Amino acid sequence: MTTPRRDFLRLAAAAAALPVLPRTAAAQTYPSRPVRLLVGYPPGGPVDIFARLMGQWLSDRMGQPFVVENRAGAGSTLALQALVNAPADGYTLITLSTSAVISSLYYKNLNYNLIRDVAPVCGISVEPLVMVVHPSVKATTVPEFIAEAKLSPGKLVMASVGNGTTPHMAGELFMQMAGVEMLHVPYSGAAPAITDLLAGRADVMFEAMPTLVGHLKSGKLRALAVGTTTRSAVFPDVPTVGEFLPGYEGVVWFGMAAPGQTPVELVERVNREINAGLDDPALRARLEQFGGTPMTGTPAEFKKRFIDDAEKWGKVIKAAAKT
């Protein structure tokens, strides 16, 4: 791991001690022009879905377009690099997920530090990861899948949205806890990975619910389990992974962030508008149809998610590196 948890904690404390930047005229009139909203994955994946939902809400509320710009690659690190290189004026934001934390631990020699150089603005939603298989896979339960995997070590193909992402690590955690080996094949995002899963070129995937709901309801993919500690309201008949592997939890959050030195007033302004959206019945219903839980809260509360997940997934990355 290139950024251990102690560095996350040290940098978080240092960031909290930075002086509050003075209020400016620009902050009072923000935004006065379009805002760029980066997404580190191709169109069609869950991060892109939430970026467009919340971007439209912010456009309507704040009177300027929030324009989604997809910069896919390397577990969203390319988009994060573009974010930290952008002026800290509120006109470049990013919609990101738990994968931003994981990739900052997984990839070596990054030119940024997530805690120092990125300012969490607000969470959007926490979503279950779903363990899904192609219908050709014989297993219909998690125990049957584990038994099949043990009979053919390294033969079952596990697709993911990319190396160093939450779905990748959720699969690694499953392998560690189940004592099985699968062949991990990373893709450049959810859409191409699911395309190959639908075509039978991959066997299993751990993926966020928003991109799977339609395929599961149509029967094109089969859910074996959800990664939350309790069953999903969207698919209440689907068990949790933890019912078979006690202690397993695989969820992914989505939220928005800004460059690290963005004025506090701008961060708080966007935070207020996102929270207003999460409290809006119509938008909240759109989010909940994906099986998630809206993440209202402060920038500081969102930052705590970063630190907590650094601890959890850092252990998984370290264990995976030893195998």
Side-chain angles (χ1 to χ4, degrees):
M1 298 193 319
T2 60
T3 311
R5 181 174 182 267
R6 62 177 178 272
D7 290 339
F8 270 71
L9 293 170
R10 176 177 56 79
L11 288 165
L18 290 174
V20 176
L21 297 179
R23 189 174 300 275
T24 64
Q28 295 170 10
T29 59
Y30 171 85
S32 59
R33 54 187 171 86
V35 177
R36 186 170 58 145
L37 186 52
L38 299 174
V39 172
Y41 299 92
V47 180
D48 183 73
I49 289 171
F50 287 119
R52 294 179 191 278
L53 279 174
M54 194 53 68
Q56 186 60 57
W57 169 265
L58 293 173
S59 298
D60 295 340
R61 290 275 294 192
M62 303 182 78
Q64 290 289 341
F66 280 67
V67 182
V68 173
E69 180 180 319
N70 297 89
R71 290 203 177 191
S76 76
T77 59
L78 300 183
L80 283 161
Q81 185 66 65
L83 178 81
V84 301
N85 288 340
D89 56 7
Y91 289 94
T92 301
L93 304 173
I94 189 170
T95 302
L96 75 178
S97 72
T98 316
S99 294
V101 175
I102 292 173
S103 64
S104 72
L105 299 168
Y106 182 86
Y107 287 96
K108 298 179 180 179
N109 302 318
L110 293 175
N111 294 322
Y112 66 85
N113 181 284
L114 191 71
I115 294 297
R116 182 190 65 212
D117 300 326
V118 175
V121 174
C122 192
I124 296 173
S125 182
V126 179
E127 300 284 333
L129 290 171
V130 187
M131 181 181 181
V132 293
V133 296
H134 185 267
S136 64
V137 173
K138 295 179 181 179
T140 59
T141 67
V142 171
E144 289 176 358
F145 184 90
I146 292 173
E148 185 174 345
K150 287 184 175 181
L151 285 174
S152 304
K155 298 296 184 182
L156 290 174
V157 175
M158 182 187 79
S160 82
V161 302
N163 283 319
T165 60
T166 318
H168 173 200
M169 288 301 123
E172 290 287 350
L173 180 59
F174 178 86
M175 286 191 279
Q176 291 168 17
M177 294 183 68
V180 299
E181 179 186 353
M182 295 184 286
L183 176 62
H184 172 230
V185 178
Y187 291 79
S188 61
I194 290 174
T195 296
D196 270 15
L197 185 62
L198 289 167
R201 290 186 287 271
D203 300 302
V204 63
M205 187 174 178
F206 295 78
E207 175 56 8
M209 190 171 284
T211 49
L212 297 173
V213 171
H215 300 306
L216 294 174
K217 289 184 175 179
S218 69
K220 292 180 180 178
L221 295 175
R222 184 169 68 249
L224 296 188
V226 294
T228 41
T229 55
T230 59
R231 295 194 180 197
S232 166
V234 178
F235 297 104
D237 295 331
V238 177
T240 68
V241 177
E243 290 176 37
F244 311 105
L245 297 175
Y248 181 96
E249 183 179 13
V251 300
V252 56
W253 51 252
F254 301 89
M256 202 169 291
Q261 296 302 310
T262 301
V264 173
E265 306 84 48
L266 300 187
V267 170
E268 292 179 343
R269 171 76 195 284
V270 179
N271 174 272
R272 287 195 299 271
E273 298 298 347
I274 293 175
N275 278 316
L278 299 177
D279 286 332
D280 177 76
L283 183 56
R284 193 179 184 94
R286 292 287 306 277
L287 298 175
E288 289 176 345
Q289 75 182 13
F290 297 126
T293 302
M295 283 179 64
T296 54
T298 66
E301 288 169 335
F302 190 31
K303 176 176 279 189
K304 187 176 184 300
R305 289 269 185 175
F306 285 45
I307 297 169
D308 290 346
D309 278 332
E311 180 176 19
K312 172 180 177 173
W313 294 111
K315 294 175 182 177
V316 178
I317 293 170
K318 186 174 181 180
K322 294 179 179 179
T323 59

